[in-house]
Amino acid sequence: MRVLVNARHGGPEVLVVEERPTPTPPAGKVRLRVERSGLNFADVAARVGLYPDAPKPPMVLGYEVAGVVDEVGQGVTELAQGDRVLALTHFGGHASHVVVTPTLVRRIPAAMSFDAAAAIPVNYLTALHMLRYVAPVQPGMSVLLQMAAGGVGLAALEILKAIGGVTVLARASTAKHALLQQKGATHCLDSRAPYVDEVRALTGGRGVDRVIDALGGADWKRGYELLAPAGHLVCFGWANMVPGTTRQPLHVAREFLRLPLFNPMQLMSANKAVSGVNLGHLWTEAKLMGGHLDALLELFSRGALAPHVDSVIPLSDAKRAHERLQSRASVGKVLFDCQA
Ligand SMILES: NC(=O)c1ccc[n+]([C@@H]2O[C@H](COP(=O)([O-])OP(=O)(O)OC[C@H]3O[C@@H](n4cnc5c(N)ncnc54)[C@H](OP(=O)(O)O)[C@@H]3O)[C@@H](O)[C@H]2O)c1
């Protein structure tokens, strides 16, 4: 099989494709022939050396795949050879084949392409977990959505549209605003411009009920201040930490200094909540994650989800995929064609 290896920490030049023996699935596991796998911001942060959860180089990253079950280990009854599936992989997904436990594998409907299927697991699980479980959004509420034209952002827009009656203030660069409107954003804000005064003006000074923020650092502070009473800030990433293609220690130190400090007394008297979400640390919560996956497949079958794929790039051209995501040029999901 072929795997995409991050030979060491650094720029996109550290990515190399290697041939390795194709593993046989042990009892209780299945092997998938991977058609598409998703590239996530976490993969870029891991490549740079700013993602503490990642394995040490040389490492094979990749959290999500879509493909076909091509060999079944002893004792597996829920999946069969030939099943079209999507799956969460705790690393190792950027490869032509991967061995997984069936718990976080789901058969996909005939109407779902491998492109759509590989675009769903990480982005849509994250968005659904935040908007329906951690900080549930109800009709009539307002939401400030940072990084709205990214994979998670577009997934969040579709889930908010399915909830209905939500005022969504979505930030992205202006070239992406038409797509945000099409996906249901109420107001589009320029991600290259200040936003605090604009959010206040658009909400009549009240602020918003939810802030969904993976920018981190000073933006978490701004988001907290923009919360209306009983509002909820969900922190789920720190993109501000990764401005260049390699690790920049001075920038990292400056970002830490910009972190807001919250204490329970302050939260209580302000009637505000702050939550953190890290999907990578919910891996063992198979019941919760499996329930979310089922909810997403149900939303897909109702026509509520239409994953926006930015590009499908051969595994052999992985540098281009990383550069596209990191340069902020991508809109929606960047996928690998794992058989090319
Ligand atoms: N905690 C979790 O479980 C979890 C799961 C998935 C993702 N995440 C996090 O969620 C964030 C978004 O992920 P994604 O996959 O949706 O990202 P993505 O598809 O790469 O989209 C990122 C977009 O956000 C905008 N952006 C604004 N400021 C940015 C900055 N400082 N650096 C990079 N992009 C910036 C860019 O669009 P404009 O230039 O148009 O603004 C960019 O195209 C990442 O930080 C990721 O680590 C967390």
Side-chain angles (χ1 to χ4, degrees), residues 126 147 150-152 173 176 191-192 214-215 236 277 279 325 328:
T126 307
M147 303 176 84
V152 179
S173 43
K176 304 173 185 174
S191 57
R192 304 296 205 272
L215 289 170
F236 73 109
V277 164
L279 207 67
L325 196 120
R328 298 170 64 160

Side-chain angles (χ1 to χ4, degrees), residues 121-208:
V122 171
N123 291 339
Y124 282 78
L125 271 182
T126 307
L128 185 105
H129 182 64
M130 293 191 289
L131 301 168
R132 292 209 340 198
Y133 191 82
V134 174
V137 174
Q138 288 154 18
M141 284 186 170
S142 54
V143 178
L144 170 60
L145 187 61
Q146 301 281 18
M147 303 176 84
V152 179
L154 292 176
L157 280 170
E158 289 180 0
I159 289 165
L160 290 168
K161 195 172 181 179
I163 293 168
V166 181
T167 301
V168 188
L169 291 74
R171 282 188 84 221
S173 43
T174 49
K176 304 173 185 174
H177 284 188
L179 176 67
L180 297 188
Q181 270 159 357
Q182 189 191 319
K183 290 280 183 185
T186 320
H187 304 287
C188 297
L189 283 66
D190 183 359
S191 57
R192 304 296 205 272
Y195 58 97
V196 171
D197 290 345
E198 198 177 352
V199 171
R200 287 208 192 287
L202 288 168
T203 55
R206 178 178 176 267
V208 286

Side-chain angles (χ1 to χ4, degrees), residues 32-333:
L32 311 180
R33 177 190 142 99
V34 181
E35 294 297 332
R36 299 285 184 269
S37 70
L39 180 65
N40 286 289
F41 200 86
D43 301 314
V44 171
R47 190 204 74 221
V48 170
L50 283 170
Y51 198 69
D53 295 346
K56 297 215 178 325
M59 60 200 176
V60 181
L61 301 171
Y63 285 99
E64 58 192 342
V65 299
V68 178
V69 176
D70 80 339
E71 198 173 329
V72 176
Q74 215 181 6
V76 175
T77 50
E78 56 273 66
L79 291 166
Q81 209 175 18
D83 282 348
R84 296 172 75 250
V85 294
L86 59 74
L88 281 162
T89 52
H90 205 192
F91 307 113
H94 294 161
S96 62
H97 295 79
V98 67
V99 171
V100 289
T101 34
T103 347
L104 293 177
V105 179
R106 289 292 182 278
R107 275 194 210 91
I108 55 173
M112 186 186 278
S113 66
F114 287 128
D115 285 8
I120 284 180
V122 171
N123 291 339
Y124 282 78
L125 271 182
T126 307
L128 185 105
H129 182 64
M130 293 191 289
L131 301 168
R132 292 209 340 198
Y133 191 82
V134 174
V137 174
Q138 288 154 18
M141 284 186 170
S142 54
V143 178
L144 170 60
L145 187 61
Q146 301 281 18
M147 303 176 84
V152 179
L154 292 176
L157 280 170
E158 289 180 0
I159 289 165
L160 290 168
K161 195 172 181 179
I163 293 168
V166 181
T167 301
V168 188
L169 291 74
R171 282 188 84 221
S173 43
T174 49
K176 304 173 185 174
H177 284 188
L179 176 67
L180 297 188
Q181 270 159 357
Q182 189 191 319
K183 290 280 183 185
T186 320
H187 304 287
C188 297
L189 283 66
D190 183 359
S191 57
R192 304 296 205 272
Y195 58 97
V196 171
D197 290 345
E198 198 177 352
V199 171
R200 287 208 192 287
L202 288 168
T203 55
R206 178 178 176 267
V208 286
D209 298 300
R210 301 282 183 266
V211 176
I212 305 298
D213 188 309
L215 289 170
D219 286 290
W220 284 335
K221 192 160 188 231
R222 294 185 190 109
Y224 179 82
E225 280 158 10
L226 281 171
L227 288 178
H232 200 144
L233 163 67
V234 185
C235 309
F236 73 109
W238 200 344
N240 285 334
M241 188 67 106
V242 196
T245 55
T246 53
R247 195 182 154 105
Q248 298 174 17
L250 263 181
H251 178 83
V252 171
R254 261 199 307 273
E255 274 298 303
F256 269 100
L257 290 175
R258 289 181 179 143
L259 273 182
L261 295 176
F262 304 111
N263 70 59
M265 289 294 289
Q266 178 198 11
L267 295 175
M268 184 172 71
S269 62
N271 274 301
K272 293 183 180 182
V274 180
S275 289
V277 164
N278 185 334
L279 207 67
H281 294 177
L282 287 173
W283 232 250
T284 47
E285 298 298 312
K287 198 170 164 210
L288 180 67
M289 291 295 104
H292 288 349
L293 275 180
D294 294 335
L296 289 170
L297 287 169
E298 197 269 324
L299 279 172
F300 181 88
S301 70
R302 279 204 273 135
L305 307 187
H308 189 89
V309 174
D310 173 82
S311 43
V312 182
I313 295 177
L315 206 56
S316 53
D317 199 8
K319 288 177 196 147
R320 183 157 63 89
H322 272 242
E323 279 159 1
R324 182 152 180 83
L325 196 120
Q326 202 169 0
S327 66
R328 298 170 64 160
S330 58
V331 185
K333 194 76 195 176

